[in-house]
Amino acid sequence: MTENINLKKETDFKSSESSTGENKQWDKDNQAWWDWYVSLADNSNSKTKEVLLELPEPPNIKDASKIDLKQQLSKPYNLTTQDISNFQKNGFIKLKNVLTPAAIQLLRHEILSLLKKTFENYNENKKDRFLSLEMMWLKNTVIKEFVLSSRIAKICAELLSVKKIRLYHDNALVKESGCGRTPWHYDDHHFPLETNDVVTAWIPAQAIPIEMGPLTFAKPLEIYKLVENIEFNEFDTSYDKKIIDIFKKEKVSIVEEPFELGEVSFHHNLSFHTASENKTTQSRIVLANTYFADGARVVNNPTMISGDWKKFIPETKPGEIVSSNLNPICWPANNQV
Ligand SMILES: O=C(O)CCC(=O)C(=O)O
Ligand SMILES: [Fe+2]
């Protein structure tokens, strides 16, 4: 992407040795990773104990044959040069009308059906949790269309200004009613990829009003340099609190805006972001697909904050180029599996 991004991986957090144990490997599953990760968020100003905003159940489309999903998800999106330069300057962009309301309603239906299969009593008595599902595209043909979508992947290729885009993973990120904040971070912490050409398409499966906790970005992209030297702490909320304090003190510009139905955000792996708690009565359901430039290698020393990465990049050793069957090229479209 842009040359002004610091590409020096040897100074990066994810490949550094440290006393806080980031050099350990993650040995549990992805749900356990998220349970741990959201416990690092500072919720001392939480408002979820107050009355939740009552929202109706979002509309549900059960029948994929009612819409031409393949056609919708392969049609190119008209990205302007201004969009591309905004993304490269700010580290993120929010684009409206990437998907139709019908496609989103179907996506929500499919994620909900996987949630109900995976988590006992989903949405019945237990609330407040951050639930995660991954590798859904291997199990569900409708979700596969959204994950391998050439419409989405072409946007990613253009935003990064690279020719070919591969899938890192898909991730359903579900904040149940009352679930707390996501800690401030950039994704470079998590992805064991030896490149900064990495982007996540964050696709809400319903509209997200402010009260539901939309993804929220600090800008411009370079803001990560302000907090580069803050040491991560895997045990408590101190890292998140320090970032909040520095951003306040330095009057960093923070973009927290609702998502309308069909709106999708794209964020770079160095973009700092967070999400507020879900203060509504409905789950905040999102499909987050991460893509990277073809040719990237696995870093030499993946760490515990890289999570369950071997599941996403099988049969690939540290230092090797990523090209497994689970990391298909999604753009250009004719390279698809
Ligand atoms: O969904 C969230 O609250 C956080 C998502 C996130 O950090 C990401 O998609 O990179
Ligand atoms: Fe993130």
Side-chain angles (χ1 to χ4, degrees):
M1 193 180 110
T2 44
E3 290 80 47
N4 55 0
I5 291 171
N6 177 2
L7 290 165
K8 279 205 274 89
K9 283 286 169 180
E10 64 276 15
T11 57
D12 272 359
F13 177 79
K14 66 182 170 186
S15 52
S16 64
E17 295 285 314
S18 109
S19 57
T20 53
E22 298 108 51
N23 51 334
K24 285 185 297 207
Q25 294 276 324
W26 187 254
D27 56 5
K28 302 187 195 84
D29 67 11
N30 202 39
Q31 178 59 45
W33 188 92
W34 276 104
D35 286 341
W36 161 70
Y37 196 61
V38 291
S39 78
L40 305 181
D42 174 32
N43 282 297
S44 52
N45 293 323
S46 171
K47 299 257 182 350
T48 53
K49 298 286 172 285
E50 296 169 16
V51 179
L52 298 172
L53 176 69
E54 191 77 42
L55 290 181
E57 183 71 34
N60 194 348
I61 294 186
K62 300 186 175 71
D63 188 355
S65 66
K66 294 233 164 77
I67 48 176
D68 192 347
L69 201 59
K70 253 193 197 321
Q71 193 260 343
Q72 264 197 46
L73 291 172
S74 56
K75 193 170 166 234
Y77 182 88
N78 203 356
L79 210 55
T80 65
T81 49
Q82 191 60 49
D83 291 333
I84 296 170
S85 60
N86 284 345
F87 172 83
Q88 298 194 349
K89 179 164 78 83
N90 293 329
F92 76 95
I93 190 162
K94 293 177 73 176
L95 300 172
K96 294 188 199 293
N97 301 315
V98 175
L99 298 161
T100 62
I104 290 298
Q105 287 156 12
L106 179 61
L107 174 65
R108 193 168 206 278
H109 173 79
E110 296 298 320
I111 296 179
L112 272 171
S113 74
L114 288 181
L115 280 170
K116 285 174 189 155
K117 274 187 213 151
T118 314
F119 297 97
E120 258 177 55
N121 307 332
Y122 170 74
N123 227 4
E124 283 168 20
N125 33 38
K126 281 185 121 185
K127 295 222 180 230
D128 297 5
R129 290 172 303 175
F130 190 113
L131 303 178
S132 151
L133 295 170
E134 71 285 335
M135 313 301 268
M136 294 173 292
W137 68 281
L138 299 172
K139 298 181 210 127
N140 180 300
T141 52
V142 173
I143 295 180
K144 183 175 177 181
E145 296 294 339
F146 286 88
V147 175
L148 304 189
S149 159
S150 59
R151 178 172 173 88
I152 305 275
K154 182 171 188 278
I155 295 174
C156 295
E158 288 178 3
L159 292 175
L160 294 175
S161 302
V162 302
K163 290 210 170 71
K164 289 189 185 179
I165 285 288
R166 282 188 187 271
L167 176 68
Y168 175 56
H169 66 21
D170 63 5
N171 219 182
L173 302 174
V174 180
K175 272 194 185 178
E176 291 184 317
S177 171
C179 177
R181 290 184 51 251
T182 306
W184 276 106
H185 66 280
Y186 65 15
D187 297 341
D188 193 48
H189 285 176
H190 314 311
F191 303 146
L193 296 166
E194 190 61 53
T195 177
N196 279 323
D197 285 329
V198 185
V199 60
T200 296
W202 200 81
I203 307 170
Q206 68 291 298
I208 304 190
I210 289 294
E211 294 84 353
M212 196 183 257
L215 202 60
T216 296
F217 307 91
K219 67 177 188 182
L221 174 74
E222 314 278 288
I223 247 14
Y224 76 91
K225 291 182 181 165
L226 255 186
V227 290
E228 244 179 342
N229 296 326
I230 305 291
E231 201 176 347
F232 180 70
N233 186 325
E234 65 179 282
F235 301 109
D236 61 28
T237 59
S238 57
Y239 179 80
D240 188 41
K241 279 189 180 133
K242 283 181 191 158
I243 306 281
I244 293 171
D245 288 347
I246 294 174
F247 284 179
K248 258 194 200 135
K249 191 165 140 257
E250 301 295 329
K251 298 192 172 53
V252 169
S253 168
I254 290 168
V255 180
E256 181 176 32
E257 288 168 358
F259 284 68
E260 58 182 54
L261 211 54
E263 186 170 359
V264 175
S265 68
F266 294 81
H267 64 270
H268 185 265
N269 67 324
L270 294 174
S271 161
F272 251 82
H273 54 278
T274 180
S276 294
E277 65 241 272
N278 179 2
K279 296 180 294 242
T280 75
T281 53
Q282 295 295 333
S283 285
R284 190 217 67 179
I285 299 181
V286 171
L287 170 64
N289 299 334
T290 299
Y291 305 91
F292 61 96
D294 179 39
R297 292 173 189 274
V298 176
V299 293
N300 287 328
N301 297 302
T303 66
M304 67 177 283
I305 34 184
S306 307
D308 209 5
W309 70 273
K310 287 187 184 140
K311 182 169 176 185
F312 309 135
I313 312 178
E315 287 151 30
T316 313
K317 296 195 188 72
E320 286 181 0
I321 290 184
V322 184
S323 64
S324 88
N325 289 342
L326 299 192
N327 310 106
I329 289 179
C330 300
W331 180 259
N334 53 7
N335 275 315
Q336 256 184 31
V337 287

